[in-house]
Amino acid sequence: MKFVTDRETLLRPLQLVTGVVERRQTLPVLANLLVKATSDGRLSVTGTDLEVELVAEVVGLAVEQEGEATIPARKLNDIWRSLPEGAEVSVHVEGDRAIVRSGRSRFSLATLPAGEFPRIDSGPGDVEIRLGKDDVRKLLDKVSFSMAQQDVRYFLNGMLLEVTEAHTRAVATDGHRLAMSTIGKGVNGVDRVQAIVPRKGVLELSRLLDGDDDEMTLSISDNHLRATLGMYRLTTKLVDGKFPDYEKVIPRDASRTIIGDRNTLRQAFHRASILSNEKYRGVRVLVEGEQMTIQANNPEQEEAEEIVSVQYDGEALEIGFNVSYLQDVLSVLSSDNVKLSVSDANSSTLIESPEDDEALYVVMPMRL
């Protein structure tokens, strides 16, 4: 295999595909990228960790000799990044070596046979939907922070993607909070299809969205999700489990409503959090009249108090929260104001924008 290209053509594809490759591998070939060149000037670069696979298809290269080989991912990516801008680069695979040349630079990398490289066989999807890149970004950005990280309830270590005839929805929860984002675009004839996308699949999907292409195709099968955006095709295995019934978690009859300026509240919670307990991150929120008082303290007997004006006409309320959960929600909401709905100090709080219902959040109270 031999091809010639300039540095910029392969710079971003190599960075994205290398991101899928885990640093610690049980199989040596999983530390490599599968690089395949064809006589029509096409080059495909594939990386996988057996759970997530990313393929970049690049066209318009000068392919002098077609073929395929696996090349060490991080070494090839680091070499490519270190070359000067606009450099012309040739890659020539001879036997078990890949020779990378650019100007007066020459690198010889050890390869492994392409036949040893594993592929994820996803098969055709049962449901396919086309979404604008901005819609996908909104779904992911507004909920991904609520995914659990290493919960023994493995189905929480990911994001629920739900497609119906009326909407496409993303939901994530770690058992203490829940985030839900909805866009009003679905697939005709589909009742309800749900897929739990693992945490790494969600993160790699987010990284793809920084490119120039505007439309993404999502294809869902029983075991896999495939996302196609421009030259990239991401395939991820789905988490085999049943996601909690999120509809039952959302409070629908909250009797007390607080409305405040989102940015003012975000800054007040941030300042109060500085003196909260570093381990438990608890703050006490007292609402009475049109005033919210935020209090925090820590084992060193240090205290913080913030007073914020809000709209509220219910009975006096005192409730405890993990301040990090509130900060996360207030950071991803984009509206000027925020609405908090709660029944009492022991019930979950519903947080949403008063202007639209595209995203909502549920935060459990905390005993202080």
Side-chain angles (χ1 to χ4, degrees), residues 52 56 64 72 85 90 123 142 149 163-165 167 207 231 243 263 276 327 329 333 342 365:
V52 179
E64 298 178 19
E85 285 187 24
S90 73
K142 288 188 179 296
Q149 297 212 32
V163 179
T164 70
E165 195 165 41
H167 66 245
R207 294 176 65 221
M231 69 170 72
F243 201 80
N263 204 38
S276 66
Q327 288 176 285
V329 172
L333 279 173
V342 61

Side-chain angles (χ1 to χ4, degrees), residues 295-316:
Q295 298 173 340
N297 56 61
N298 59 33
E300 289 77 36
Q301 305 300 314
E302 297 167 329
E303 297 178 349
E305 182 176 278
E306 291 280 339
I307 297 176
V308 180
S309 296
V310 294
Q311 298 175 37
Y312 179 68
D313 59 3
E315 297 178 4

Side-chain angles (χ1 to χ4, degrees), residues 171-215:
V171 186
T173 179
D174 60 6
H176 303 286
R177 54 180 171 174
L178 179 141
M180 184 176 89
S181 179
T182 307
I183 57 174
K185 185 174 182 180
V187 178
N188 289 335
V190 172
D191 181 27
R192 176 177 293 196
V193 172
Q194 293 186 332
I196 305 176
V197 186
R199 182 181 187 85
K200 183 172 181 179
V202 174
L203 299 179
E204 294 302 329
L205 201 54
S206 296
R207 294 176 65 221
L208 283 186
L209 297 173
D210 294 331
D212 298 327
D213 299 279
D214 292 328
E215 192 173 63

